[in-house]
């Protein structure tokens, strides 16, 4: 009798274990149908569980909604929705997807920006990549109290944003974006670069201002340190910078290819033909290449440069105004010949 009871007990236990295994496999093994492709989820700040489920079901196929809801409830995800960018990979189970969403394990977003002249342009570029849109970024930049404690104002804060490719979470706010870039800025200005700037009697901001001018002035990388040396020579003798990029910035017209005399009378602190020294701030996001060109500026006696008439992108350098005027006349003649009047 005991043997029969033992057999019945063992058989019953086996059935229970098999049923438990089947239920476990059912609970954990059902997959989200993605058609063999990765699917992107952008969960906005403030979204609730119903919003998330609708979003998932719109980009993929949840064949067993009841089971998905059950797992989400058991995992307490229904009350712990986190915003961000997430990827549903092919073959991902309900359980794994919910674990990723509940933990907030976002997929980073690559944010690349370069050739940025204004904060509004920066906001537009970044606003396409992150949840925080361009208007929120512009509002952040317009309120100087957001960054004045760090020693910047609206004219100088653009120096913080050194062009490169950075990884952010999609849910990054405007404030978080700024502070991440401030961290990158401080990392860039290490002891070596600070020492090189000090050797040239420049502050990091002054390096950034000159770098932004050099970036806009020069097309050829190998000429940038020489152009930077020209501007440093002008500063040393108290000569105005006379930098054309600052005129375009003052006029807010970056389509200008020929800076005419009539433009040089614009009343602006950025008019470096009228006012000596540095303008109030950079005329764009200074590139790493531009910054290094100032820090490694050539030591020479040139005070002038003029674009070559062959339109090679290179310049003729001069020590005297008379020599410069000859080169400038050659270039002006070629501009007229090509009917470039603006």
């Amino acid at each position: 009798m005991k043997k029969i009871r033992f057999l019945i007990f063992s058989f019953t236990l086996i059935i229970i274990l098999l049923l438990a295994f089947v239920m476990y496999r059912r609970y954990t093994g059902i997959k989200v149908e993605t058609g063999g492709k990765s699917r992107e989820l952008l969960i906005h700040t403030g979204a609730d569980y119903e919003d998330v489920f609708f979003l998932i079901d719109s980009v993929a196929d949840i064949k067993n909604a009841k089971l998905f809801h059950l797992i989400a409830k058991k995992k307490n995800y229904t009350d712990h929705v986190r915003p961000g960018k997430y990827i549903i990979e092919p073959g991902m189970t309900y359980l794994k997807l919910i674990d990723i969403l509940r933990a907030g394990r976002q997929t980073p977003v690559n944010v690349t920006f370069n050739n940025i002249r204004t904060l509004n342009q920066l906001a537009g570029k970044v606003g396409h990549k992150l949840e925080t849109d361009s208007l929120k970024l512009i509002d952040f930049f317009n309120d100087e109290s957001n960054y004045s404690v760090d020693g910047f104002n609206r004219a100088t804060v653009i120096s913080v944003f050194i062009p490169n490719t950075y990884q952010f979470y999609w849910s990054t706010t405007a404030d978080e974006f700024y502070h991440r870039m401030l961290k990158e800025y401080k990392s860039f200005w290490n002891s070596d670069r600070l020492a090189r700037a000090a050797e040239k009697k420049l502050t990091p901001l002054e390096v950034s201002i000159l770098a932004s001018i050099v970036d806009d002035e020069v097309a050829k990388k190998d000429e940038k340190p020489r152009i930077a040396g020209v501007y440093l020579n002008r500063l040393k003798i108290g000569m105005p910078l006379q930098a054309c990029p600052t005129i375009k910035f003052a006029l807010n017209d970056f389509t200008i290819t020929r800076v005419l005399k009539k433009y040089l009378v614009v009343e602006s602190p950025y008019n470096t033909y009228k006012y000596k020294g540095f303008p109030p701030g950079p005329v764009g996001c200074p590139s790493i290449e531009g910054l290094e060109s100032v820090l490694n500026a050539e030591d020479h006696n040139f005070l002038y440069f003029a674009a070559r008439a062959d339109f090679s992108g290179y310049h003729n350098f001069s020590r005297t105004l008379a020599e410069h005027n000859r080169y400038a006349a050659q270039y002006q003649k070629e501009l007229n010949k090509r009917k470039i009047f603006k």
Side-chain angles (χ1 to χ4, degrees), residues 1 41 60 72 76 105 129 138 151 172 216 275 303-304 320:
M1 192 68 176
L41 296 178
N76 202 24
R105 294 200 294 271
K129 292 287 188 176
I138 290 171
T172 298
D216 191 56
Y275 298 106
L303 285 174
Y304 306 96
T320 67

Side-chain angles (χ1 to χ4, degrees), residues 30-35 39 53 55-65 68 88 92 94:
I30 294 183
K31 299 173 182 178
V32 181
E33 298 293 333
T34 65
R39 303 294 180 176
F53 180 78
L55 178 61
I56 296 171
D57 202 37
S58 67
V59 300
D61 188 9
I62 305 294
K63 292 188 178 298
N64 192 330
F68 190 92
I88 307 176
M92 186 175 284
Y94 292 2

Side-chain angles (χ1 to χ4, degrees), residues 59-265:
V59 300
D61 188 9
I62 305 294
K63 292 188 178 298
N64 192 330
K66 288 185 178 179
L67 180 60
F68 190 92
H69 294 321
L70 175 63
I71 297 174
K73 189 173 182 179
K74 289 289 185 182
K75 287 285 184 176
N76 202 24
Y77 176 61
T78 53
D79 297 321
H80 291 85
V81 172
R82 298 174 185 271
K85 176 183 176 180
Y86 303 90
I87 301 297
I88 307 176
E89 300 291 355
M92 186 175 284
T93 63
Y94 292 2
L95 181 62
K96 185 173 182 180
L97 174 58
I98 290 170
D99 281 343
I100 289 172
L101 295 176
R102 190 184 186 285
R105 294 200 294 271
Q106 296 188 49
T107 299
V109 176
N110 286 331
V111 176
T112 301
F113 58 89
N114 48 53
N115 299 321
I116 298 296
R117 299 178 184 274
T118 66
L119 290 171
N120 285 0
Q121 285 184 349
L122 177 64
K125 188 81 170 180
V126 175
H128 289 300
K129 292 287 188 176
L130 303 177
E131 181 184 17
T132 185
D133 58 26
S134 57
L135 290 178
K136 290 177 182 176
L137 285 165
I138 290 171
D139 286 343
F140 179 89
F141 294 141
N142 285 340
D143 186 352
E144 290 189 350
S145 67
N146 288 320
Y147 44 81
S148 58
V149 68
D150 302 310
F152 301 101
N153 56 39
R154 200 177 190 286
T156 61
V157 72
I158 197 169
S159 62
V160 171
F161 305 95
I162 300 175
N164 210 331
T165 297
Y166 303 93
Q167 283 196 332
F168 289 90
Y169 287 131
W170 179 76
S171 58
T172 298
T173 65
D175 182 74
E176 289 169 342
F177 172 71
Y178 163 72
H179 280 96
R180 163 66 187 287
M181 294 308 302
L182 180 63
K183 182 179 179 181
E184 296 287 345
Y185 173 84
K186 290 179 178 179
S187 176
F188 176 85
W189 283 106
N190 56 30
S191 58
D192 172 65
R193 291 192 175 101
L194 288 172
R196 281 189 281 154
E199 285 176 5
K200 290 181 166 47
K201 299 180 180 180
L202 297 173
T203 66
L205 175 59
E206 290 169 340
V207 173
S208 294
I209 292 172
L210 281 185
S212 70
I213 292 172
V214 171
D215 280 335
D216 191 56
E217 190 82 75
V218 189
K220 301 298 183 180
K221 177 181 178 180
D222 55 332
E223 266 198 349
K224 287 189 175 185
R226 180 165 293 185
I227 297 287
V230 170
Y231 286 125
L232 289 175
N233 287 343
R234 291 177 182 178
L235 288 167
K236 286 176 186 176
I237 65 173
M239 177 181 172
L241 285 176
Q242 296 181 349
C244 291
T246 65
I247 300 299
K248 291 188 285 185
F249 188 87
L251 293 168
N252 194 30
D253 186 351
F254 304 109
T255 65
I256 295 172
T257 56
R258 186 173 183 176
V259 177
L260 304 173
K261 287 184 178 180
K262 66 179 181 179
Y263 299 149
L264 304 184
V265 299

